[in-house]
Amino acid sequence: MLDLSVSSLFAILVSAILVNNFVLSRFLGICPFLGVSKQVETAFGMGMAVTFVMSLASIITFVVQNYILDPLGLQYMQTIMFILVIASLVQFVEMVIQKTSPALYQSLGVFLPLITTNCAVLGLTILNIQENYNIVETIVHAIGAAVGFSLAIVLFAAIREKLEIANVPQPFKGFPIALLTAGLMSLAFLGFSGLV
Amino acid sequence: MNISDVIYPVVSLGGLGLLFGGGLAFASQKFAVKVDPLILQVNDALPGVNCGACGYPGCSSFAKAVVEEVAAVDGCPVGGKSTAEEVAKVMGVEVSVGERQVAKVICNADNKKAKEDFDYQGIVDCKAASKFNGGSKSCNYGCLGLATCVRECPVDAIHITNNKIAKVDPDLCISCEKCVKVCPKNVIDMVPESQEVVITCKNEEKGKIARQKCDVACIGCQICVKSCPFDAIDFENNLAFIDYDKCTNCHVCVEKCPTHAIEGDINNRKKAEILQNKCIKCNICAKACPVDAIEGEVKEKHLVHQDQCIGCSVCAEKCPKDAIEMKKRK
């Protein structure tokens, strides 16, 4: 039956947030990481949207994998199936939010379509299957990954806000210095390896 | 090969696709949010840049405000005339809009032409620099060239030249006026797009002081005011300024200004040319010409003296037969 030992779940959570941070260690979801990180506020909105989608997508892909793909021996269809699931899910979520909570839609709305084909979400769902996680572990891993993503993008946005007014040499202005910063952040997160 | 190898993937993927598709179709009905169709139509008519120049957080909120009749139909400075007309059409009202306005830096004093009082090494930002004794430029009215407007511009229409002064690319400018608002020196103005002659100085100090500080300052000599054939230049606070409604871009002031504080390329000056096949030799143009550049009496052949013509277009406007064409000199 389900293995619910708290310590192993905690290990999965910490590992997903810090050690194997999706952006800074696995290099997934770089597009929104660089694209939506000019302001802390929008970065936070993006982080929340990703958290939402990652949690839901993990649960549904888990069901799809275990009750459709595995029994029929269709593991090779995994990628296309998961993309289908995630894309429709995001669309559905967007509609529901628009109807039920216009305020939340205002803050999340613009980011949701961006996540439709985000590789971090697809990567997460495939990793869940590869690691043979059960449903509880899957959810914990998804939350960890999403928190890790949010953490990275909010930190990065905060640094970029400071960089805006810093005296950066002309050739490094704008994206070059942002990419360097991302690299240095990645190095810093490398320090967490061996933690779990 | 087993037939189920083909059937299973097709059925499962197709089935899931159908399920999700149906689900989404159902959801779009069930969770449909009623939006006033007018808002959508107005939104379609807008440029969709979401720059916020109208004072609303984006095109869709502006569209909503227009439909609720809170905002004016011509409230979008980016779309200009065509957009305002389209929005007005959707709303069923009349609108009249002037020419497209573009941002213009009213200062030509780069670091070669204006003196620096000190070597500023603080934060590279005009707002920060202007807090520090008004910036390093000796003229307190000039462009500091530290790119605050460049960073504000949503369409990259402004850049800093090698000589440290901001320049706006009028083709790229979307008239959002963000740079006008952000500039701590108030040195950016909105100028009609077709305006070629612009006084590029804001210095309100006495001529002697202005001249000491900058090579291209308006020194208040009022030669332009006197020389303008159309009374389009006024003088106030030691500074000349052009009434763009009256100005005909004749470039006379550009030629006369002793400090070259009036910008305008004399090579862009247009020249009147009489189309002899249309001309009825009525002499109206010759009478209207402010510089007597048109030769010919009634019922005689009319000719424009190209070296005297200042390209003001007065004759072309007066001609009853549209027989005068304004052409750019090659």
Side-chain angles (χ1 to χ4, degrees):
Chain A
M1 245 332 262
L2 291 176
D3 171 26
L4 288 178
S5 89
V6 176
S7 62
S8 78
L9 289 182
F10 186 71
I12 291 175
L13 188 69
V14 173
S15 146
I17 297 176
L18 295 177
V19 184
N20 290 320
N21 186 292
F22 263 63
V23 178
L24 298 171
S25 298
R26 293 196 198 272
F27 308 118
L28 291 168
I30 298 293
C31 169
F33 180 67
L34 292 173
V36 203
S37 57
K38 276 206 158 170
Q39 286 174 353
V40 170
E41 205 177 315
T42 50
F44 189 73
M46 185 70 190
M48 288 302 100
V50 168
T51 308
F52 202 66
V53 172
M54 272 188 172
S55 314
L56 271 178
S58 293
I59 299 170
I60 297 188
T61 50
F62 181 84
V63 174
V64 169
Q65 175 75 25
N66 284 293
Y67 296 96
I68 298 178
L69 296 183
D70 280 349
L72 296 177
L74 293 176
Q75 282 86 352
Y76 65 91
M77 297 276 288
Q78 197 184 43
T79 312
I80 193 166
M81 274 295 203
F82 284 10
I83 291 177
L84 180 71
V85 168
I86 295 167
S88 356
L89 182 69
V90 173
Q91 286 298 311
F92 178 72
V93 166
E94 193 183 346
M95 286 179 199
V96 174
I97 293 182
Q98 193 178 8
K99 176 77 176 178
T100 52
S101 168
L104 187 65
Y105 180 75
Q106 281 287 328
S107 52
L108 283 190
V110 284
F111 303 117
L112 282 171
L114 287 178
I115 312 169
T116 319
T117 49
N118 187 336
C119 64
V121 182
L122 183 65
L124 168 81
T125 55
I126 290 177
L127 275 172
N128 283 335
I129 310 301
Q130 275 176 5
E131 301 279 338
N132 271 327
Y133 284 147
N134 62 39
I135 184 76
V136 180
E137 285 169 332
T138 297
I139 295 170
V140 171
H141 187 223
I143 292 171
V147 170
F149 178 87
S150 311
L151 181 74
I153 196 171
V154 169
L155 285 179
F156 188 53
I159 295 177
R160 282 186 76 177
E161 277 190 1
K162 295 277 178 199
L163 277 179
E164 278 287 299
I165 50 166
N167 195 356
V168 180
Q170 194 65 38
F172 286 103
K173 274 202 176 125
F175 252 101
I177 194 77
L179 289 171
L180 280 177
T181 313
L184 289 175
M185 281 180 75
S186 178
L187 276 180
F189 267 68
L190 203 65
F192 288 116
S193 62
L195 192 68
V196 178
Chain B
M1 198 181 92
N2 203 329
I3 191 74
S4 64
D5 288 350
V6 179
I7 300 267
Y8 284 162
V10 170
V11 168
S12 59
L13 188 63
L16 263 189
L18 260 179
L19 185 73
F20 286 135
L24 283 181
F26 174 72
S28 71
Q29 298 274 315
K30 171 106 181 161
F31 295 105
V33 178
K34 276 204 185 105
V35 183
D36 191 335
L38 260 184
I39 296 181
L40 290 178
Q41 280 177 29
V42 172
N43 200 22
D44 285 343
L46 296 171
V49 195
N50 291 323
C51 65
C54 51
Y56 292 90
C59 289
S60 55
S61 7
F62 173 69
K64 198 163 163 243
V66 168
V67 173
E68 285 163 0
E69 294 183 0
V70 185
V73 283
D74 58 350
C76 175
V78 176
K81 197 177 173 186
S82 57
T83 300
E85 277 169 357
E86 242 174 278
V87 174
K89 213 165 107 193
V90 175
M91 296 295 294
V93 291
E94 292 279 319
V95 71
S96 59
V97 195
E99 200 195 336
R100 186 170 91 101
Q101 307 269 319
V102 291
K104 170 109 192 135
V105 180
I106 307 296
C107 176
N108 253 339
D110 56 36
N111 59 2
K112 295 226 169 75
K113 292 173 185 145
K115 292 188 184 67
E116 298 275 309
D117 276 347
F118 54 90
D119 185 16
Y120 176 74
Q121 298 203 328
I123 299 170
V124 184
D125 183 86
C126 303
K127 280 181 177 168
S130 67
K131 292 274 186 296
F132 196 74
N133 209 10
S136 60
K137 190 160 268 178
S138 59
C139 170
N140 250 333
Y141 300 86
C143 170
L144 294 172
L146 296 177
T148 298
C149 52
V150 175
R151 290 186 284 275
E152 190 72 11
C153 182
V155 292
D156 264 347
I158 313 180
H159 64 277
I160 303 292
T161 66
N162 292 338
N163 292 333
K164 292 272 170 206
I165 194 159
K167 282 262 180 274
V168 183
D169 184 339
D171 295 336
L172 294 177
C173 177
I174 56 168
S175 323
C176 70
E177 301 190 24
K178 279 189 171 178
C179 51
V180 177
K181 284 173 199 141
V182 83
C183 178
K185 290 288 178 185
N186 291 322
V187 79
I188 307 180
D189 277 356
M190 300 307 287
V191 173
E193 192 185 15
S194 66
Q195 184 69 29
E196 284 172 19
V197 178
V198 178
I199 297 179
T200 47
C201 182
K202 288 228 164 190
N203 194 320
E204 294 177 0
E205 289 166 303
K206 285 257 180 340
K208 193 183 168 202
I209 303 170
R211 173 173 254 165
Q212 278 167 357
K213 289 178 173 175
C214 171
D215 295 344
V216 290
C218 171
I219 52 169
C221 65
Q222 304 200 40
I223 289 178
C224 55
V225 181
K226 286 167 207 149
S227 67
C228 179
F230 307 99
D231 288 332
I233 305 184
D234 277 327
F235 190 77
E236 210 173 73
N237 294 331
N238 295 316
L239 193 60
F241 58 91
I242 298 178
D243 182 343
Y244 297 133
D245 290 336
K246 288 185 190 167
C247 178
T248 61
N249 289 315
C250 73
H251 290 72
V252 167
C253 52
V254 179
E255 284 178 310
K256 299 273 176 169
C257 180
T259 55
H260 304 292
I262 306 181
E263 191 181 278
D265 188 353
I266 194 83
N267 291 326
N268 283 342
R269 175 187 265 179
K270 288 179 184 147
K271 292 287 175 185
E273 209 166 280
I274 296 176
L275 306 172
Q276 298 297 349
N277 53 346
K278 279 190 182 174
C279 176
I280 54 167
K281 305 177 177 66
C282 64
N283 211 238
I284 289 176
C285 54
K287 282 176 196 143
C289 180
V291 289
D292 294 329
I294 303 181
E295 187 191 80
E297 294 296 319
V298 183
K299 292 187 183 168
E300 282 174 22
K301 192 179 179 189
H302 289 22
L303 261 184
V304 180
H305 288 295
Q306 295 293 317
D307 47 336
Q308 281 178 32
C309 176
I310 55 171
C312 66
S313 317
V314 168
C315 51
E317 277 158 32
K318 289 272 157 107
C319 178
K321 290 288 167 190
D322 286 332
I324 300 181
E325 237 180 25
M326 301 306 296
K327 282 189 178 160
K328 276 212 171 159
R329 198 156 56 175
K330 275 145 217 158

Short mmCIF file of all heavy atoms in Angstrom, two decimals, chain A residues 60 64 68 72 74 76-77 80-81 84-85 88 91-92 95-96 98-100 164-165 167 173, chain B residues 5 8-10 12-13 16-17 20 23-24 27-28 30-33 35 121-124 151:
data_model
loop_
_atom_site.label_atom_id
_atom_site.label_comp_id
_atom_site.label_asym_id
_atom_site.label_seq_id
_atom_site.Cartn_x
_atom_site.Cartn_y
_atom_site.Cartn_z
N ILE A 60 -3.50 14.31 -12.55
CA ILE A 60 -4.20 13.75 -13.71
C ILE A 60 -3.29 12.86 -14.55
O ILE A 60 -3.69 11.77 -14.98
CB ILE A 60 -4.81 14.88 -14.55
CG1 ILE A 60 -5.86 15.60 -13.70
CG2 ILE A 60 -5.44 14.34 -15.83
CD1 ILE A 60 -6.66 16.61 -14.42
N VAL A 64 -3.69 9.00 -15.69
CA VAL A 64 -3.60 8.59 -17.09
C VAL A 64 -2.54 7.51 -17.26
O VAL A 64 -2.76 6.48 -17.92
CB VAL A 64 -3.27 9.82 -17.98
CG1 VAL A 64 -2.90 9.37 -19.39
CG2 VAL A 64 -4.45 10.76 -18.02
N ILE A 68 -4.43 4.12 -17.94
CA ILE A 68 -4.60 4.01 -19.40
C ILE A 68 -3.33 3.50 -20.06
O ILE A 68 -3.34 2.47 -20.73
CB ILE A 68 -5.00 5.37 -20.02
CG1 ILE A 68 -6.34 5.83 -19.45
CG2 ILE A 68 -5.10 5.24 -21.54
CD1 ILE A 68 -6.80 7.17 -19.96
N LEU A 72 -2.43 -0.79 -21.06
CA LEU A 72 -2.47 -1.04 -22.49
C LEU A 72 -1.07 -1.16 -23.09
O LEU A 72 -0.92 -1.39 -24.28
CB LEU A 72 -3.23 0.09 -23.20
CG LEU A 72 -4.71 0.25 -22.83
CD1 LEU A 72 -5.29 1.44 -23.55
CD2 LEU A 72 -5.48 -1.01 -23.19
N LEU A 74 1.20 1.24 -23.44
CA LEU A 74 1.40 2.35 -24.39
C LEU A 74 2.37 3.39 -23.84
O LEU A 74 2.24 4.58 -24.09
CB LEU A 74 0.06 3.04 -24.68
CG LEU A 74 -0.97 2.23 -25.44
CD1 LEU A 74 -2.26 3.01 -25.57
CD2 LEU A 74 -0.44 1.84 -26.81
N TYR A 76 5.11 4.37 -24.65
CA TYR A 76 5.77 5.24 -25.64
C TYR A 76 4.90 6.43 -26.04
O TYR A 76 5.36 7.38 -26.65
CB TYR A 76 6.18 4.44 -26.88
CG TYR A 76 5.01 3.88 -27.67
CD1 TYR A 76 4.45 4.62 -28.71
CD2 TYR A 76 4.47 2.63 -27.38
CE1 TYR A 76 3.38 4.12 -29.42
CE2 TYR A 76 3.40 2.14 -28.08
CZ TYR A 76 2.86 2.88 -29.10
OH TYR A 76 1.79 2.41 -29.81
N MET A 77 3.61 6.38 -25.69
CA MET A 77 2.71 7.49 -26.01
C MET A 77 2.72 8.58 -24.93
O MET A 77 1.98 9.54 -24.99
CB MET A 77 1.27 6.98 -26.15
CG MET A 77 1.06 6.01 -27.26
SD MET A 77 0.80 6.88 -28.79
CE MET A 77 -0.84 7.51 -28.50
N ILE A 80 3.14 12.60 -25.76
CA ILE A 80 2.03 13.26 -26.47
C ILE A 80 0.77 13.27 -25.61
O ILE A 80 0.03 14.26 -25.57
CB ILE A 80 1.80 12.58 -27.84
CG1 ILE A 80 0.88 13.45 -28.69
CG2 ILE A 80 1.24 11.20 -27.70
CD1 ILE A 80 0.86 13.05 -30.12
N MET A 81 0.57 12.18 -24.86
CA MET A 81 -0.59 12.13 -23.96
C MET A 81 -0.52 13.22 -22.92
O MET A 81 -1.50 13.92 -22.64
CB MET A 81 -0.61 10.77 -23.23
CG MET A 81 -1.27 9.66 -23.97
SD MET A 81 -3.02 9.94 -24.21
CE MET A 81 -3.58 8.28 -24.42
N LEU A 84 -1.19 16.64 -24.23
CA LEU A 84 -2.63 16.80 -24.43
C LEU A 84 -3.32 17.12 -23.11
O LEU A 84 -4.11 18.07 -23.01
CB LEU A 84 -3.19 15.50 -25.02
CG LEU A 84 -4.69 15.47 -25.30
CD1 LEU A 84 -5.01 16.37 -26.47
CD2 LEU A 84 -5.15 14.05 -25.59
N VAL A 85 -2.94 16.34 -22.08
CA VAL A 85 -3.57 16.52 -20.77
C VAL A 85 -3.29 17.93 -20.24
O VAL A 85 -4.20 18.65 -19.83
CB VAL A 85 -3.06 15.47 -19.77
CG1 VAL A 85 -3.49 15.83 -18.36
CG2 VAL A 85 -3.57 14.09 -20.14
N SER A 88 -5.03 20.85 -22.29
CA SER A 88 -6.48 21.00 -22.06
C SER A 88 -6.76 21.42 -20.64
O SER A 88 -7.66 22.21 -20.38
CB SER A 88 -7.25 19.70 -22.36
OG SER A 88 -6.42 18.72 -22.87
N GLN A 91 -6.33 25.14 -20.24
CA GLN A 91 -7.46 25.84 -20.84
C GLN A 91 -8.69 25.78 -19.94
O GLN A 91 -9.36 26.77 -19.70
CB GLN A 91 -7.81 25.21 -22.20
CG GLN A 91 -6.82 25.54 -23.30
CD GLN A 91 -6.77 27.02 -23.58
OE1 GLN A 91 -7.79 27.66 -23.74
NE2 GLN A 91 -5.57 27.58 -23.62
N PHE A 92 -8.92 24.59 -19.42
CA PHE A 92 -10.08 24.39 -18.57
C PHE A 92 -9.98 25.24 -17.30
O PHE A 92 -10.91 25.95 -16.93
CB PHE A 92 -10.18 22.90 -18.20
CG PHE A 92 -11.32 22.58 -17.29
CD1 PHE A 92 -12.62 22.61 -17.76
CD2 PHE A 92 -11.11 22.27 -15.95
CE1 PHE A 92 -13.69 22.33 -16.93
CE2 PHE A 92 -12.17 21.98 -15.11
CZ PHE A 92 -13.46 22.01 -15.60
N MET A 95 -10.73 28.84 -17.91
CA MET A 95 -12.17 29.14 -18.02
C MET A 95 -12.83 29.19 -16.64
O MET A 95 -13.60 30.11 -16.34
CB MET A 95 -12.88 28.06 -18.84
CG MET A 95 -12.61 28.15 -20.31
SD MET A 95 -13.47 26.81 -21.11
CE MET A 95 -12.62 26.73 -22.65
N VAL A 96 -12.51 28.18 -15.83
CA VAL A 96 -13.14 28.11 -14.51
C VAL A 96 -12.78 29.34 -13.69
O VAL A 96 -13.64 29.96 -13.06
CB VAL A 96 -12.70 26.82 -13.77
CG1 VAL A 96 -13.23 26.84 -12.35
CG2 VAL A 96 -13.21 25.61 -14.51
N GLN A 98 -11.86 32.25 -14.72
CA GLN A 98 -12.47 33.46 -15.28
C GLN A 98 -13.91 33.61 -14.79
O GLN A 98 -14.38 34.70 -14.51
CB GLN A 98 -12.43 33.41 -16.81
CG GLN A 98 -12.75 34.76 -17.43
CD GLN A 98 -12.65 34.73 -18.94
OE1 GLN A 98 -12.49 33.65 -19.53
NE2 GLN A 98 -12.75 35.88 -19.56
N LYS A 99 -14.57 32.45 -14.68
CA LYS A 99 -15.97 32.50 -14.25
C LYS A 99 -16.10 32.72 -12.76
O LYS A 99 -16.86 33.57 -12.30
CB LYS A 99 -16.65 31.17 -14.64
CG LYS A 99 -18.09 31.05 -14.18
CD LYS A 99 -19.01 31.86 -15.05
CE LYS A 99 -20.47 31.66 -14.67
NZ LYS A 99 -21.34 32.50 -15.50
N THR A 100 -15.32 31.95 -12.01
CA THR A 100 -15.54 31.93 -10.57
C THR A 100 -14.85 33.07 -9.84
O THR A 100 -15.38 33.59 -8.87
CB THR A 100 -15.07 30.59 -9.96
OG1 THR A 100 -13.72 30.38 -10.40
CG2 THR A 100 -15.95 29.45 -10.41
N GLU A 164 18.43 46.74 -12.63
CA GLU A 164 17.91 47.81 -13.49
C GLU A 164 18.60 49.14 -13.20
O GLU A 164 18.86 49.91 -14.11
CB GLU A 164 16.40 47.96 -13.27
CG GLU A 164 15.56 46.97 -14.02
CD GLU A 164 15.50 47.25 -15.50
OE1 GLU A 164 15.03 48.32 -15.87
OE2 GLU A 164 15.98 46.41 -16.30
N ILE A 165 18.86 49.41 -11.93
CA ILE A 165 19.45 50.71 -11.60
C ILE A 165 20.94 50.59 -11.33
O ILE A 165 21.59 51.58 -10.99
CB ILE A 165 18.74 51.36 -10.38
CG1 ILE A 165 18.64 50.38 -9.23
CG2 ILE A 165 17.38 51.88 -10.74
CD1 ILE A 165 18.28 51.05 -7.93
N ASN A 167 24.94 50.11 -12.21
CA ASN A 167 25.79 50.63 -13.29
C ASN A 167 26.47 49.46 -13.99
O ASN A 167 27.60 49.10 -13.70
CB ASN A 167 26.81 51.59 -12.69
CG ASN A 167 27.47 52.42 -13.76
OD1 ASN A 167 27.20 52.22 -14.94
ND2 ASN A 167 28.32 53.34 -13.36
N LYS A 173 24.49 45.11 -20.56
CA LYS A 173 23.18 45.61 -20.16
C LYS A 173 22.06 44.71 -20.65
O LYS A 173 22.13 44.17 -21.74
CB LYS A 173 22.96 47.02 -20.69
CG LYS A 173 23.54 48.03 -19.74
CD LYS A 173 22.95 49.40 -19.90
CE LYS A 173 23.53 50.31 -18.84
NZ LYS A 173 24.15 51.49 -19.34
N ASP B 5 -1.95 -3.32 -31.53
CA ASP B 5 -0.89 -2.33 -31.41
C ASP B 5 -1.29 -1.00 -32.03
O ASP B 5 -0.79 0.06 -31.67
CB ASP B 5 0.38 -2.83 -32.12
CG ASP B 5 1.01 -3.95 -31.32
OD1 ASP B 5 0.56 -4.17 -30.19
OD2 ASP B 5 1.94 -4.59 -31.85
N TYR B 8 -5.17 0.28 -29.94
CA TYR B 8 -5.09 0.85 -28.59
C TYR B 8 -4.62 2.30 -28.56
O TYR B 8 -5.29 3.15 -27.98
CB TYR B 8 -4.21 -0.03 -27.69
CG TYR B 8 -4.89 -1.30 -27.23
CD1 TYR B 8 -4.16 -2.37 -26.74
CD2 TYR B 8 -6.28 -1.42 -27.28
CE1 TYR B 8 -4.78 -3.53 -26.33
CE2 TYR B 8 -6.91 -2.57 -26.86
CZ TYR B 8 -6.17 -3.64 -26.39
OH TYR B 8 -6.78 -4.79 -25.98
N PRO B 9 -3.46 2.60 -29.18
CA PRO B 9 -3.03 4.00 -29.14
C PRO B 9 -4.04 4.94 -29.79
O PRO B 9 -4.33 6.01 -29.25
CB PRO B 9 -1.72 4.03 -29.92
CG PRO B 9 -1.38 2.64 -30.25
CD PRO B 9 -2.50 1.74 -29.85
N VAL B 10 -4.57 4.52 -30.94
CA VAL B 10 -5.50 5.40 -31.64
C VAL B 10 -6.72 5.67 -30.79
O VAL B 10 -7.13 6.82 -30.59
CB VAL B 10 -5.91 4.79 -33.00
CG1 VAL B 10 -7.06 5.58 -33.61
CG2 VAL B 10 -4.73 4.75 -33.95
N SER B 12 -7.10 5.21 -27.49
CA SER B 12 -6.88 5.90 -26.21
C SER B 12 -6.57 7.37 -26.42
O SER B 12 -7.13 8.24 -25.76
CB SER B 12 -5.75 5.22 -25.43
OG SER B 12 -4.56 5.24 -26.20
N LEU B 13 -5.69 7.66 -27.39
CA LEU B 13 -5.36 9.08 -27.63
C LEU B 13 -6.56 9.82 -28.19
O LEU B 13 -6.91 10.90 -27.71
CB LEU B 13 -4.17 9.19 -28.60
CG LEU B 13 -3.62 10.60 -28.78
CD1 LEU B 13 -3.07 11.13 -27.48
CD2 LEU B 13 -2.54 10.64 -29.84
N LEU B 16 -9.18 10.19 -25.42
CA LEU B 16 -8.83 11.25 -24.48
C LEU B 16 -9.02 12.63 -25.13
O LEU B 16 -9.56 13.55 -24.52
CB LEU B 16 -7.38 11.11 -24.02
CG LEU B 16 -7.14 10.40 -22.69
CD1 LEU B 16 -5.69 10.54 -22.29
CD2 LEU B 16 -8.04 10.94 -21.60
N GLY B 17 -8.57 12.73 -26.39
CA GLY B 17 -8.71 14.00 -27.12
C GLY B 17 -10.16 14.41 -27.21
O GLY B 17 -10.52 15.55 -26.92
N PHE B 20 -11.43 15.42 -23.71
CA PHE B 20 -10.99 16.76 -23.32
C PHE B 20 -11.66 17.82 -24.18
O PHE B 20 -12.09 18.86 -23.69
CB PHE B 20 -9.47 16.88 -23.42
CG PHE B 20 -8.75 16.16 -22.32
CD1 PHE B 20 -7.64 15.37 -22.60
CD2 PHE B 20 -9.18 16.27 -21.01
CE1 PHE B 20 -6.98 14.70 -21.59
CE2 PHE B 20 -8.51 15.60 -19.99
CZ PHE B 20 -7.41 14.81 -20.28
N GLY B 23 -15.10 18.15 -23.13
CA GLY B 23 -15.10 18.80 -21.82
C GLY B 23 -14.88 20.29 -21.94
O GLY B 23 -15.59 21.09 -21.32
N LEU B 24 -13.92 20.67 -22.80
CA LEU B 24 -13.63 22.09 -22.97
C LEU B 24 -14.81 22.81 -23.62
O LEU B 24 -15.16 23.92 -23.23
CB LEU B 24 -12.38 22.29 -23.82
CG LEU B 24 -11.05 22.05 -23.10
CD1 LEU B 24 -9.89 22.29 -24.04
CD2 LEU B 24 -10.93 22.95 -21.88
N ALA B 27 -17.32 23.16 -21.03
CA ALA B 27 -16.89 24.15 -20.04
C ALA B 27 -17.04 25.57 -20.59
O ALA B 27 -17.43 26.48 -19.87
CB ALA B 27 -15.44 23.91 -19.65
N SER B 28 -16.72 25.73 -21.88
CA SER B 28 -16.79 27.08 -22.43
C SER B 28 -18.24 27.58 -22.45
O SER B 28 -18.50 28.77 -22.36
CB SER B 28 -16.20 27.12 -23.84
OG SER B 28 -17.05 26.46 -24.73
N LYS B 30 -20.63 26.34 -20.21
CA LYS B 30 -21.04 26.37 -18.81
C LYS B 30 -20.43 27.56 -18.07
O LYS B 30 -21.08 28.22 -17.28
CB LYS B 30 -20.62 25.05 -18.16
CG LYS B 30 -20.79 25.00 -16.66
CD LYS B 30 -21.96 24.14 -16.28
CE LYS B 30 -22.11 24.13 -14.76
NZ LYS B 30 -23.45 23.70 -14.36
N PHE B 31 -19.12 27.78 -18.36
CA PHE B 31 -18.42 28.83 -17.63
C PHE B 31 -18.30 30.11 -18.44
O PHE B 31 -17.48 30.96 -18.15
CB PHE B 31 -17.03 28.36 -17.22
CG PHE B 31 -17.06 27.23 -16.24
CD1 PHE B 31 -16.76 25.94 -16.65
CD2 PHE B 31 -17.41 27.45 -14.93
CE1 PHE B 31 -16.80 24.89 -15.76
CE2 PHE B 31 -17.45 26.41 -14.03
CZ PHE B 31 -17.15 25.12 -14.43
N ALA B 32 -19.12 30.22 -19.48
CA ALA B 32 -19.01 31.41 -20.32
C ALA B 32 -19.26 32.66 -19.48
O ALA B 32 -20.19 32.72 -18.69
CB ALA B 32 -20.03 31.34 -21.45
N VAL B 33 -18.38 33.62 -19.66
CA VAL B 33 -18.55 34.89 -18.95
C VAL B 33 -19.19 35.85 -19.93
O VAL B 33 -18.73 36.02 -21.05
CB VAL B 33 -17.20 35.43 -18.46
CG1 VAL B 33 -17.40 36.77 -17.78
CG2 VAL B 33 -16.54 34.44 -17.55
N VAL B 35 -19.67 38.91 -21.72
CA VAL B 35 -18.94 40.15 -21.97
C VAL B 35 -19.77 40.97 -22.95
O VAL B 35 -20.30 40.44 -23.92
CB VAL B 35 -17.55 39.85 -22.59
CG1 VAL B 35 -16.78 41.14 -22.77
CG2 VAL B 35 -16.79 38.89 -21.71
N GLN B 121 29.31 60.94 -11.37
CA GLN B 121 29.62 59.51 -11.37
C GLN B 121 28.61 58.72 -10.55
O GLN B 121 28.91 57.63 -10.09
CB GLN B 121 31.02 59.29 -10.80
CG GLN B 121 32.08 59.96 -11.65
CD GLN B 121 33.44 59.34 -11.47
OE1 GLN B 121 33.75 58.86 -10.40
NE2 GLN B 121 34.24 59.36 -12.51
N GLY B 122 27.41 59.30 -10.35
CA GLY B 122 26.40 58.60 -9.55
C GLY B 122 25.63 57.59 -10.38
O GLY B 122 26.11 57.12 -11.42
N ILE B 123 24.44 57.26 -9.89
CA ILE B 123 23.58 56.30 -10.59
C ILE B 123 23.27 56.82 -11.98
O ILE B 123 22.96 58.00 -12.16
CB ILE B 123 22.28 56.08 -9.80
CG1 ILE B 123 22.60 55.52 -8.42
CG2 ILE B 123 21.33 55.16 -10.53
CD1 ILE B 123 21.42 55.49 -7.48
N VAL B 124 23.36 55.93 -12.97
CA VAL B 124 23.14 56.35 -14.35
C VAL B 124 21.64 56.48 -14.59
O VAL B 124 20.99 55.56 -15.09
CB VAL B 124 23.78 55.35 -15.32
CG1 VAL B 124 23.65 55.84 -16.75
CG2 VAL B 124 25.24 55.17 -14.98
N ARG B 151 14.65 53.79 -21.05
CA ARG B 151 14.14 52.65 -20.30
C ARG B 151 12.62 52.68 -20.20
O ARG B 151 11.97 51.65 -20.12
CB ARG B 151 14.76 52.62 -18.90
CG ARG B 151 16.23 52.27 -18.92
CD ARG B 151 16.77 52.10 -17.50
NE ARG B 151 16.99 53.36 -16.83
CZ ARG B 151 18.10 54.09 -16.95
NH1 ARG B 151 19.07 53.67 -17.73
NH2 ARG B 151 18.23 55.22 -16.31
#
